[in-house]
Amino acid sequence: MSQFLKTKEIKCTNSFIEFVKKECVLVIALTLAILSSIISIPKVSYIDFKVLILLFNLMVVVAAFKDLKVLDSIAIGLLKKCNTYTSISLSLVFLTFISSMIVTNDVALITFVPLSIVISKKANINVLKIVVFQTLAANLGSSFTPMGNPQNLFIYSFYNLSPIDFFKITLPIVILAVLFLVLLVLKDKKMNLSLDLEDVKIDNKRDVYLFSALFLIILLSVFHIIDYKVTFLITIIMVLLLNKKLFSQVDYSLLVTFIGFFIFVGNISTMNVVKNFMEGILGSPESTFLSSVLSSQFISNVPATMLLSGFTNHFKELLLGVNIGGMGTLIASLASVISYKIYTSEFGNDNYMKSFTFYNILGLVVFVPLTYLFIIL
C-alpha cells in the first residue's frame, strides 16, 4: 500500500513539474497575483473584461479556421506555383507574416512551420533557416494589427486607441520588417526545386462562410464599430449551433494568465513606493521604449506590456518596444517557443538556437536604433 502511495506521489510530482514547465508564465502570473493580494486587497475592477472577451472571440474563430483547414488550403495553392528554394522561402515566410496579422503569431507558426517541414522533406532541403525566418515573420507581422498578438490587443484596448492612431504607430515597423525579411531570404542559397503537393480539400464550405462572417463581426468589434458584448453573444450562439468542440480549443491558460497579471498590476499600482519607482523609470518616451525592449527579453513581451502599462502613458513607445522586443531571446515572445518545439521535436536542436539567436539579435540591432532615431526621437 505504501509503495502504491509513493508511486502515486511521484506521478503527481512529475505531473506538477511538467505543468509548471508548460505553463510557467501562467504560474508566475498567479503567484504574483496571490502574493501581491496579501499586501493589497484586489478589486474586480482591475480585470479588463473587454480584453478577455475580445481574446476569447478571436481564439474561437481562429480555432474554427484551423479545424476547417482554411489556411492549409490557401498555403498549398500558393506553394504549388513555386519552383525554386527562394520562391518557396519567400512564400512560407510571407504566408506566416501576413497570416499572423489576422490569426495571431502563435497560430501562424502552428500552421505553417509543420507545413515547411513537410515541404523540406519532399524537396530534400534544410528547413532550419526558413523556420527561423518564419518565427521572425510571425512576431514582426503580428505587430501590425490589434488582433495580431495579445499585447497589441491589450494596448489597443487599455489606452482606448483609434484604428488610425494604432496603424500610424505600427506601419513603419511593418515596412521595415518586409525589407528585413526579403533581404534575409534573398541572401540565402538559390536552387531549383520540384514539389509534388496534394491539394487540401475543404469539405464544409458552409461553415467556412459562416465563420468568415463571424470573423468580420469580431473585427468590427475590435475596431469599436460593434459592441464587443454583442459580438461575444453572437460567437457563443454560433459555436453552440455549429461546432461545440471549438470551446475546448480555446487557450484558457492565456486568459487566466491575463487575469493574474491584471490583479498583480492593479495591486502594486496602489503601492506608492512601487508606483513612484516605476513612474520614475518610465518617465520619458525613450526610457519607456528601451524598458519595454529589455523587459521583454527576460519576462516575455505580454507580461512586460501588462506590467509597464500601469505606470506609463507613453503608449506609442510601449507598443513599439514590446513588439520589437519580441525578437532577441527565445522567451521574448512565447510564440517563438512554438516553432522551437516543433522544429526540435523533428530534427533535435541541430544548431537551431545558434541560428535563432543570431538572426534575432541581428533583428534587434537593426530595429532598435532605427526605431529610436526615426520614429521616437
Side-chain angles (χ1 to χ4, degrees):
M1 187 69 178
S2 60
Q3 183 63 36
F4 171 77
L5 291 173
K6 191 174 182 180
T7 304
K8 193 173 181 180
E9 185 180 338
I10 291 170
K11 284 183 179 180
C12 289
T13 303
N14 290 338
S15 298
F16 177 73
I17 292 170
E18 286 301 314
F19 174 79
V20 171
K21 285 181 180 178
K22 185 181 177 182
E23 301 290 354
C24 60
V25 179
L26 169 62
V27 172
I28 291 170
L30 292 178
T31 303
L32 291 173
I34 293 167
L35 291 176
S36 61
S37 294
I38 297 171
I39 303 169
S40 177
I41 298 172
K43 298 177 183 176
V44 176
S45 59
Y46 295 156
I47 301 172
D48 191 332
F49 289 100
K50 181 181 178 181
V51 170
L52 296 176
I53 288 172
L54 288 173
L55 264 177
F56 175 86
N57 290 343
L58 285 166
M59 286 192 283
V60 166
V61 79
V62 165
F65 285 148
K66 189 179 173 187
D67 193 52
L68 293 164
K69 298 183 178 178
V70 174
L71 295 179
D72 300 66
S73 177
I74 295 170
I76 294 296
L78 288 171
L79 289 169
K80 290 186 96 172
K81 299 174 183 176
C82 301
N83 56 13
T84 65
Y85 177 84
T86 302
S87 62
I88 287 171
S89 295
L90 283 170
S91 297
L92 287 168
V93 169
F94 281 96
L95 273 171
T96 309
F97 183 76
I98 294 169
S99 64
S100 69
M101 299 176 185
I102 304 166
V103 295
T104 73
N105 49 0
D106 54 350
V107 171
L109 290 171
I110 289 169
T111 303
F112 294 118
V113 169
L115 182 63
S116 299
I117 291 172
V118 170
I119 289 170
S120 73
K121 289 181 177 179
K122 286 181 178 289
N124 194 28
I125 58 175
N126 188 339
V127 77
L128 188 150
K129 280 189 181 179
I130 293 177
V131 173
V132 171
F133 296 163
Q134 281 180 298
T135 306
L136 284 167
N139 288 326
L140 290 170
S142 66
S143 67
F144 183 52
T145 62
M147 62 279 185
N149 53 52
Q151 69 267 19
N152 278 12
L153 190 60
F154 175 79
I155 291 172
Y156 180 76
S157 176
F158 184 80
Y159 292 101
N160 197 26
L161 302 181
S162 70
I164 292 174
D165 288 338
F166 187 92
F167 288 122
K168 278 169 65 176
I169 297 169
T170 58
L171 182 60
I173 294 299
V174 172
I175 293 171
L176 180 58
V178 170
L179 296 173
F180 180 63
L181 292 168
V182 167
L183 287 173
L184 287 181
V185 173
L186 293 181
K187 179 182 167 294
D188 215 1
K189 59 187 175 182
K190 296 172 175 62
M191 65 176 87
N192 291 323
L193 299 171
S194 178
L195 288 178
D196 181 22
L197 298 172
E198 294 181 8
D199 289 324
V200 175
K201 188 178 178 182
I202 297 177
D203 297 318
N204 194 341
K205 291 186 178 179
R206 184 205 66 174
D207 280 9
V208 172
Y209 296 137
L210 288 172
F211 278 109
S212 296
L214 176 62
F215 185 55
L216 178 60
I217 292 170
I218 291 170
L219 289 186
L220 292 174
S221 72
V222 169
F223 293 120
H224 313 310
I225 297 170
I226 297 177
D227 192 303
Y228 71 96
K229 296 172 188 173
V230 174
T231 306
F232 178 59
L233 185 61
I234 293 170
T235 302
I236 296 294
I237 291 170
M238 280 194 66
V239 173
L240 287 172
L241 292 174
L242 298 175
N243 188 355
K244 296 184 188 69
K245 290 188 296 183
L246 294 175
F247 287 128
S248 65
Q249 296 176 38
V250 171
D251 187 358
Y252 293 104
S253 67
L254 178 61
L255 298 177
V256 177
T257 299
F258 263 68
I259 292 171
F261 279 115
F262 280 137
I263 294 170
F264 169 65
V265 172
N267 286 340
I268 65 170
S269 63
T270 62
M271 303 174 194
N272 289 330
V273 175
V274 176
K275 187 177 180 180
N276 293 337
F277 175 75
M278 292 297 291
E279 287 177 349
I281 292 176
L282 305 172
S284 69
E286 297 83 3
S287 63
T288 298
F289 173 68
L290 294 174
S291 296
S292 303
V293 174
L294 288 172
S295 58
S296 295
Q297 304 307 304
F298 301 100
I299 63 173
S300 184
N301 51 9
V302 174
T305 302
M306 301 184 73
L307 176 62
L308 301 182
S309 63
F311 306 98
T312 181
N313 290 319
H314 302 299
F315 58 84
K316 175 183 175 182
E317 291 72 25
L318 178 64
L319 179 59
L320 291 169
V322 292
N323 278 296
I324 291 171
M327 295 182 287
T329 64
L330 186 65
I331 64 166
S333 168
L334 292 181
S336 301
V337 179
I338 292 170
S339 48
Y340 168 76
K341 286 183 177 178
I342 294 171
Y343 182 89
T344 54
S345 65
E346 193 73 33
F347 301 106
N349 196 355
D350 188 31
N351 292 322
Y352 183 89
M353 282 305 300
K354 182 179 178 182
S355 182
F356 174 89
T357 304
F358 174 78
Y359 285 107
N360 272 265
I361 296 299
L362 177 63
L364 287 179
V365 168
V366 170
F367 278 78
V368 170
L370 288 178
T371 303
Y372 189 84
L373 291 172
F374 294 107
I375 301 177
I376 294 176
L377 289 182

